Amino acid sequence: MKGQPTSDVIEHIRDIPIYQESLAKGHFPLLDKPEIARGFPDNWMTPRLAAALETGEAEFVLSTGTNHARMQIIRPPYFLLRSYYELWRNHPDIGETWESGCRRVSLTTVLATEHVARVNAARRGVEHKGIPILADRWLDERTCYVNLRLDPAQWVRKDVLRMLREIDLARSTHPQGRYHLDCSAYHLAHLVRKAEAWGLLDAFPAPASIIHAYEYTPVNVRRFLRRRFACPVIDLFGSTELGYLYYSDREGRYWPHLDGMSVELLPVTPGSTIHQLIVTSVRNPYMPLVRYRSGDCVRTRDGSPDPAAITQFCGRQKELLGTPNGPVAQGDLDRHIADASPRIFLHQLRLQGDADATLSYTTFTDEPLGAAEAVALRQSITELTGRNCRIEHRTHIPIGRSGKYIWLVSAGT
């Protein structure tokens, strides 16, 4: 039966409590986050897992969240990091930067930086307090974190100089002065713009490779980075609970990395060409997931449910916007914005009642769109959403509490 687990997967889950009813019925329904959390951790507990928790081979962590509740999971230590390193090591465009010993400088959310500082403090048997020094921001011998502010738009010159010095320090340990830059694409774009504005580009060491892997990257932001960096700029798609599932090449085409996994694509609504991602994975031996609804949405080359034909990871299912013409994803709005003007940097759609919306945007130059561009954008977004849309230029759109940008705001958000 389509989507049902293979005999190999069945062997991995045979003694896990959460799957006993499905095993007895011979049918596995979709597995949602509330079901995973119900009765946690007893619904996952086996003698093997209990022993692994006792020895430290397994640990409790929280999944990452932007606007939604975080989920407690169990996984091996450094599960996501090891998945990242494996893809970096084997990537056809940038594997040589791993092999040459490039250090990884991570420019992402301040929450990630603080997590590393807490981990290092726990290793020393103390509690993390205050602003972490650089020594406390090294996750391992390869990776350090440099961002210390929630909103990168509020970095001051002192912040930028410190980060550029720390990047240079990581680079200077390599025999050829090379390093790998791991980032949220938004954060890197902010850093480039700040360095340009303050005449600091000469102090910004050119990376040997770049991966952005933390959230949806708009078309215009990706264009901006590719114009400014000569090295490959690679996207990874994954999650805390699954590891990484897909990677892009330097041309932006996506390729599967499904070791220990299989993927189904199901339409989010009947007839929709937006598909939800359903994953079966035994990659995490302590919490194998069968037909897990990850909450992510994709588009494929031809609108078919072919996991090998994915061309875009277009947003989260909970953030789909219902319209008279069917659901609209974050990537759909982004495509219209990129078609209207390559100068738009950040954007946020705010819904007002049932019929209106305001699109706020910033540009890479801080200058508003011209009148003709603004009219065309307003008409395009009105047609896409089925709402009367207003266009509003801003010089600042605040970042969310998670350190990620919120693209859609409705009443009560």
Side-chain angles (χ1 to χ4, degrees):
M1 192 181 301
K2 184 178 179 182
Q4 295 302 301
T6 64
S7 57
D8 288 345
V9 171
I10 295 293
E11 287 307 310
H12 280 84
I13 64 170
R14 192 170 293 284
D15 59 345
I16 299 176
I18 195 173
Y19 294 122
Q20 294 308 303
E21 184 177 344
S22 296
L23 285 164
K25 291 180 177 178
H27 176 78
F28 288 75
L30 297 184
L31 179 63
D32 289 306
K33 289 178 171 66
E35 187 64 25
I36 289 174
R38 190 175 296 118
F40 186 91
D42 291 345
N43 55 346
W44 294 93
M45 197 58 63
T46 64
R48 181 189 181 201
L49 175 54
L53 288 167
E54 185 71 25
T55 62
E57 294 175 35
E59 64 180 5
F60 292 100
V61 298
L62 290 173
S63 65
T64 56
T66 305
N67 309 324
H68 311 304
R70 302 174 78 190
M71 176 177 68
Q72 195 171 28
I73 60 175
I74 305 166
R75 67 177 191 183
Y78 301 111
F79 175 72
L80 188 60
L81 181 70
R82 287 171 179 158
S83 178
Y84 182 109
Y85 282 173
E86 181 184 2
L87 267 180
W88 178 13
R89 180 189 299 113
N90 296 312
H91 194 285
D93 294 318
I94 64 171
E96 53 91 19
T97 65
W98 167 273
E99 292 300 334
S100 75
C102 285
R103 281 185 153 179
R104 172 183 175 233
V105 177
S106 192
L107 177 70
T108 180
T109 68
V110 72
L111 277 71
T113 305
E114 290 173 348
H115 170 73
V116 172
R118 285 194 300 272
V119 167
N120 285 328
R123 284 174 181 161
R124 300 194 304 271
V126 299
E127 184 179 349
H128 163 60
K129 294 180 180 178
I131 298 173
I133 60 174
L134 179 58
D136 289 338
R137 290 184 268 120
W138 280 93
L139 180 59
D140 61 11
E141 70 281 357
R142 291 292 285 259
T143 297
C144 70
Y145 288 71
V146 295
N147 179 29
L148 295 176
R149 279 187 188 265
L150 176 64
D151 191 340
Q154 295 180 346
W155 286 332
V156 297
R157 195 171 190 274
K158 182 179 178 183
D159 295 319
V160 172
L161 283 169
R162 175 192 55 76
M163 288 188 285
L164 295 180
R165 281 196 303 270
E166 291 175 357
I167 290 171
D168 191 55
L169 184 62
R171 178 201 62 80
S172 67
T173 63
H174 190 273
Q176 287 82 46
R178 306 172 82 208
Y179 76 102
H180 170 73
L181 184 56
D182 166 74
C183 66
S184 153
Y186 290 112
H187 284 70
L188 181 53
H190 276 294
L191 185 61
V192 171
R193 294 180 69 233
K194 298 278 188 181
E196 286 177 341
W198 291 322
L200 299 174
L201 280 180
D202 287 346
F204 195 148
S209 55
I210 295 174
I211 283 177
H212 55 81
Y214 289 85
E215 57 189 314
Y216 177 85
T217 297
V219 172
N220 282 348
V221 175
R222 198 173 299 188
R223 285 174 182 162
F224 177 85
L225 297 181
R226 287 181 171 170
R227 283 198 305 266
R228 278 157 176 78
F229 294 100
C231 67
V233 180
I234 305 301
D235 183 30
L236 302 186
F237 170 80
S239 67
T240 310
E241 62 272 25
L242 292 169
Y244 291 101
L245 287 75
Y246 286 81
Y247 65 90
S248 77
D249 59 27
R250 64 191 306 159
E251 305 302 325
R253 294 181 295 260
Y254 284 100
W255 300 87
H257 174 70
L258 298 175
D259 180 40
M261 293 183 171
S262 62
V263 167
E264 299 171 64
L265 301 186
L266 300 178
V268 294
T269 57
S272 176
T273 54
I274 302 174
H275 291 85
Q276 54 183 314
L277 197 66
I278 310 299
V279 183
T280 292
S281 174
V282 296
R283 190 184 289 176
N284 173 357
Y286 305 117
M287 197 170 171
L289 298 170
V290 178
R291 305 197 75 208
Y292 168 60
R293 196 195 317 253
S294 74
D296 300 291
C297 296
V298 304
R299 284 196 177 275
T300 58
R301 266 191 307 274
D302 53 3
S304 72
D306 180 3
I310 291 174
T311 56
Q312 185 188 51
F313 295 89
C314 59
R316 301 285 296 170
Q317 190 168 358
K318 284 188 176 181
E319 296 174 357
L320 291 174
L321 172 62
T323 78
N325 296 318
V328 166
Q330 181 178 4
D332 302 328
L333 177 66
D334 178 46
R335 184 177 66 254
H336 281 251
I337 286 170
D339 288 346
S341 173
R343 296 195 295 121
I344 296 174
F345 177 21
L346 306 173
H347 62 265
Q348 186 177 84
L349 185 68
R350 185 175 296 272
L351 307 182
Q352 292 148 332
D354 295 327
D356 299 307
T358 297
L359 180 75
S360 301
Y361 72 92
T362 73
T363 62
F364 291 105
T365 61
D366 290 330
E367 297 295 325
L369 299 179
E373 282 182 315
V375 168
L377 178 59
R378 182 183 64 77
Q379 292 174 341
S380 176
I381 304 306
T382 294
E383 182 178 339
L384 175 70
T385 63
R387 290 169 174 263
N388 180 38
C389 191
R390 207 173 136 255
I391 305 296
E392 174 186 81
H393 173 254
R394 292 187 184 180
T395 56
H396 178 235
I397 292 177
I399 205 162
R401 287 176 297 177
S402 67
K404 298 180 181 181
Y405 283 100
I406 300 168
W407 75 277
L408 182 66
V409 179
S410 55
T413 300

